[in-house]
Amino acid sequence: MPAAPTPLRSWIAAANDAACDFPIQNLPYGVFSVGGGPRRCGVAIGDMIVDLAACEARGLLNAGGTFAAPRLNDFIALGRARWDQIRSRLTQLLAEDGDHSLPLVAMADTTLHLPIRVTEFTDFYASRNHAYNVGVLFRGPENALPPQWTHMPIGYNGRASSVVVSGTDIRRPMGQVRGEAGPEWTACRRLDLELELAAIVGADSRMGERVGVEAAEQMIFGYTLLNDWSARDIQAWEYQPLGPFQSKALATTIGPWIVTQAALEPFRSGGAPRDNDILAYLREERPGFYDLNLGWTMNGQQMCRTNYNVMYWSSAQQLAHHAVSGCPMRVGDLLGSGTISGPSRDQMGALLEMTGNGKSTVTVNGETRTFIEDGDEIGLFGFAQGQGYRIGFGPCTGRILPANG
Ligand code: MN
């Protein structure tokens, strides 16, 4: 039997550790600062960040000055040819025979910021298991899956204004819920997380023009982890007929690192089996999912592990559907996949499903929970497993603060 191929290695030792999220095969983009210094763009490698603005100032890279910006939007807008150029140049500079004088900063000395200015945020509902389980809880097994669900990606327009980066504390919301004798004003009693993957749109589309699925995939720059914090008691009272509103507007946490589509390409995979034929504008020529391990933790304890390849609708299909009315898409648009849940309890991407809307409990470090308590910290994780390396997403955490009653 031939030996497994030796993966490409970097002159940065930590990047060659098989358990490191950021090997030379990954090269995810983020925005960082040091001390009170300005925000600028960087790429994670091992336990270091490549200072891309400094690289460009030295003439090592050419991105039209966009890496000195406090967000990645300007770089992303340069387009796919430039993304590929920068990626291959960075691979060369970071390889074992690369440039050992590259401007680097120790990740531990930096603050990580929102990697993009979020143009708009749309959240979908694309895991069959999740849609069915939640449908049973809210409407019973007869009407669990709405009739259009297997024919189109269902979504709602979320709030870009409340998207925050990993590590930001989240305030428990106050709101209106259904009470015994009418509406009640209360601190949310059923605060939940949603494990999701978000696609970052990397190119504009024109108003009035549809986008084919193939073209849609070419428009995606990369992916990051996304926690769609959800107030289930507020949601249950408000969601009909126009969908979630304040139950989802409190906050959405995303990871600090955007893993590029190029880094995930070797892990391309099919998704869930299809129930029925779909209209031509949504058909994919090749599978649009990734073999990507995903999960979440509560106060450091792993609660769930699932995979992105359980999903029914890919990001490219979601983008194509989003633009089908002629709605223009923009660089920096964030498309949440929808909660990612496998069939079993330890593969569920939300407490709503795991506890049957609070009917059962889960155990976390010896304590019981139905939903998230004040002081709890939720973390998401994600990685694609290669041979001798892994493409990781880094942290996506948030701790809950008590409500301002
Ligand atoms: Mn969601």
Side-chain angles (χ1 to χ4, degrees), residues 123-124 156 194 196 228 248 338-339:
D123 196 34
F124 288 90
Y156 68 91
E194 290 191 343
E196 303 194 24
D228 180 24
K248 303 279 193 170
T339 307

